[in-house]
Amino acid sequence: MASTGGPDGYVPSARSVVELLGLLAYGELLAFDRMAADSRLAPDVERRAAMAQLAASEIANYNALADRIRELGYEPETVMAPFMTAVTDFHDSTAPRDWLEGLVKAYVGDAISYDFHREVAEFLEPADRELVRGVLPDEKHSEFLVREIKAAISQDEAVAGRLALWARRLVGEALTQAQRAASDSEGLTDLIVLGAGDLQAVGELLRRLTNNHAERMKAIGLSN
Amino acid sequence: MASTGGPDGYVPSARSVVELLGLLAYGELLAFDRMAADSRLAPDVERRAAMAQLAASEIANYNALADRIRELGYEPETVMAPFMTAVTDFHDSTAPRDWLEGLVKAYVGDAISYDFHREVAEFLEPADRELVRGVLPDEKHSEFLVREIKAAISQDEAVAGRLALWARRLVGEALTQAQRAASDSEGLTDLIVLGAGDLQAVGELLRRLTNNHAERMKAIGLSN
């Protein structure tokens, strides 16, 4: 077996890999759905089309993940089923009330998802590692989102405080639902604990995710 | 000037071309929006993802059209503005009530749009002709839609009658709103009348569109 970035000798079980792919796939599908809906909040057609473009790119990622799930001999629907409630609840509890909240949600979601993909990719064997790395959000997307958020803050300072609070709520909800998804899924829990090495290493992984998030928020003017 | 498929010597004005591109672009953007929403009507996640994929492909087409509009020195937003009401009203008056209506709407919309693109492409000079031909709906999409519609009809004959009525309503609304769009837009009217040659030729063009539609409906089991 090819080596992975996890502790020596750790090779994730087929079940672990398939559960991870299922979670990521359903995440992409719902991200498409909600970003498509959020694009209607745009103040003009150009921005609306830009958000629609971000949504559309999630579908290509969904297809890549679903294809791999089928290749491994599973049905995407079955594999995604255990994660549907957690992912749906995350989105239901964080429906943006306006365009700016939609931008921040897209940015925070993309960025944390980017970091998470990069971290868990290390626990996988080469083929799946490449797949999970390959469905990372496009950096050009983040550029559009960052530019728009910065412009909005520079026009109205009160906006920064409101959006910083919103970003905190997004991360809180994401962590709550991620814990729920993991506790409903033995294979996924195994992958993260055994891939990271032990529970302490999982704690460090979570700290890296939240630290990176905090730094990004600071960089775009949303003090955390 | 390069020749076009219209009457000898006819070269569409910049305004005519830009108005056509604006209509097509806004059509793509709204098609994305409505198909993304309609994907939620799917009975399972696989079908939902398939409809989401159809929606996503409209965005690539929108971008190609918007890029060309900018290249010609216009703002897509401005150019699309005159057509927004007609396109929005079409979709508002034809919101599918269930998954099957969504499938038929996607199929009828794709197919008539395909024919219309092919016809008007002939009135344009080579660069725009290629562009308008290039943003044709993907044939693979139609295959998915036809397969699903045929399967639904074969399981329940009463469905065919209901969907045939629905398809007729879709075409009626489309013609109503197309007339409205044309009457609000001198450049577009010019393009179609002068491109076709005269009013009689426009009538023939419309007849070809509706005949092709009727034949397609018959072929998938929706007698017209």
Side-chain angles (χ1 to χ4, degrees):
Chain A
M1 289 279 188
S3 73
T4 74
D8 285 45
Y10 171 65
V11 174
S13 69
R15 180 176 169 185
S16 286
V17 173
V18 161
E19 286 184 3
L20 173 69
L21 299 180
L23 170 65
L24 299 180
Y26 199 67
E28 298 283 357
L29 193 60
L30 267 253
F32 163 81
D33 186 79
R34 300 312 168 101
M35 287 166 88
D38 295 346
S39 73
R40 293 191 188 183
L41 299 167
D44 56 52
V45 179
E46 299 267 333
R47 287 180 172 86
R48 178 172 173 171
M51 182 68 94
Q53 173 63 60
L54 301 196
S57 69
E58 311 282 350
I59 280 299
N61 290 342
Y62 169 82
N63 285 335
L65 291 160
D67 285 349
R68 177 63 177 156
I69 291 169
R70 280 188 214 98
E71 205 177 281
L72 293 169
Y74 295 81
E75 276 304 310
E77 177 118 29
T78 317
V79 168
M80 293 188 284
F83 306 111
M84 288 182 182
T85 313
V87 177
T88 306
D89 284 358
F90 167 71
H91 283 289
D92 285 350
S93 63
T94 58
R97 284 164 306 177
D98 60 26
W99 173 241
L100 282 178
E101 288 192 358
L103 289 173
V104 171
K105 181 173 175 182
Y107 178 60
V108 168
D110 260 17
I112 292 189
S113 157
Y114 186 94
D115 283 350
F116 180 70
H117 277 237
R118 263 193 349 198
E119 294 269 2
V120 295
E122 296 302 318
F123 308 155
L124 304 172
E125 294 192 89
D128 292 311
R129 191 188 302 162
E130 286 316 303
L131 171 69
V132 169
R133 276 188 189 149
V135 297
L136 288 171
D138 191 325
E139 277 184 46
K140 272 200 295 182
H141 294 175
S142 289
E143 282 166 27
F144 161 72
L145 296 167
V146 167
R147 196 172 58 236
E148 290 286 317
I149 295 166
K150 280 186 172 171
I153 293 173
S154 74
Q155 277 166 32
D156 180 354
E157 276 186 30
V159 164
R162 175 165 78 85
L163 294 182
L165 259 172
W166 169 244
R168 219 166 321 175
R169 216 184 103 207
L170 288 170
V171 174
E173 289 290 340
L175 287 176
T176 303
Q177 298 302 340
Q179 259 176 320
R180 190 164 151 201
S183 73
D184 288 349
S185 156
E186 215 173 294
L188 188 59
T189 308
D190 273 4
L191 177 74
I192 292 171
V193 176
L194 300 176
D198 53 29
L199 282 176
Q200 194 189 329
V202 174
E204 284 159 17
L205 188 159
L206 282 175
R207 236 182 331 273
R208 283 195 297 278
L209 292 182
T210 48
N211 283 347
N212 287 349
H213 165 73
E215 274 175 34
R216 276 189 305 260
M217 290 300 100
K218 213 168 145 188
I220 63 167
L222 299 178
S223 58
N224 206 40
Chain B
M1 289 280 190
S3 72
T4 74
D8 285 45
Y10 171 65
V11 173
S13 68
R15 181 178 168 181
S16 287
V17 173
V18 161
E19 286 184 3
L20 173 69
L21 300 180
L23 171 65
L24 299 180
Y26 199 69
E28 297 283 356
L29 194 59
L30 266 254
F32 163 81
D33 187 79
R34 300 311 167 103
M35 287 165 89
D38 295 347
S39 73
R40 294 189 188 185
L41 299 168
D44 56 52
V45 179
E46 299 266 334
R47 288 180 172 84
R48 178 172 172 171
M51 182 67 94
Q53 173 64 59
L54 301 195
S57 69
E58 312 282 349
I59 279 299
N61 291 343
Y62 168 83
N63 285 334
L65 292 160
D67 284 349
R68 177 64 177 156
I69 291 168
R70 279 187 214 98
E71 205 176 280
L72 293 169
Y74 295 81
E75 276 305 309
E77 177 117 30
T78 318
V79 168
M80 293 187 285
F83 306 112
M84 287 184 184
T85 312
V87 177
T88 306
D89 284 358
F90 167 70
H91 284 289
D92 285 350
S93 64
T94 59
R97 282 165 306 179
D98 59 27
W99 172 242
L100 282 177
E101 288 191 0
L103 288 173
V104 171
K105 182 173 174 182
Y107 179 60
V108 168
D110 260 17
I112 292 189
S113 158
Y114 186 93
D115 283 349
F116 180 69
H117 277 237
R118 263 192 349 198
E119 294 269 1
V120 295
E122 296 301 319
F123 308 156
L124 303 172
E125 294 191 272
D128 292 312
R129 190 188 304 162
E130 286 314 305
L131 171 69
V132 169
R133 276 188 190 152
V135 298
L136 288 172
D138 191 326
E139 276 184 48
K140 272 201 295 182
H141 294 174
S142 290
E143 284 167 25
F144 161 72
L145 296 168
V146 167
R147 196 171 59 235
E148 291 285 317
I149 295 166
K150 279 187 174 170
I153 294 173
S154 75
Q155 277 165 32
D156 180 356
E157 274 185 34
V159 164
R162 174 166 78 85
L163 294 182
L165 259 173
W166 170 242
R168 219 166 322 175
R169 217 185 104 206
L170 287 170
V171 175
E173 288 289 339
L175 287 177
T176 304
Q177 298 302 340
Q179 257 174 321
R180 190 164 153 202
S183 73
D184 288 350
S185 157
E186 215 174 291
L188 188 59
T189 308
D190 273 4
L191 178 73
I192 291 171
V193 176
L194 301 176
D198 53 29
L199 282 175
Q200 193 189 328
V202 174
E204 285 160 17
L205 187 159
L206 282 175
R207 237 182 332 273
R208 282 195 298 278
L209 292 182
T210 48
N211 284 347
N212 288 348
H213 164 74
E215 274 176 34
R216 276 189 304 261
M217 290 300 100
K218 212 168 146 188
I220 62 167
L222 300 178
S223 58
N224 205 41

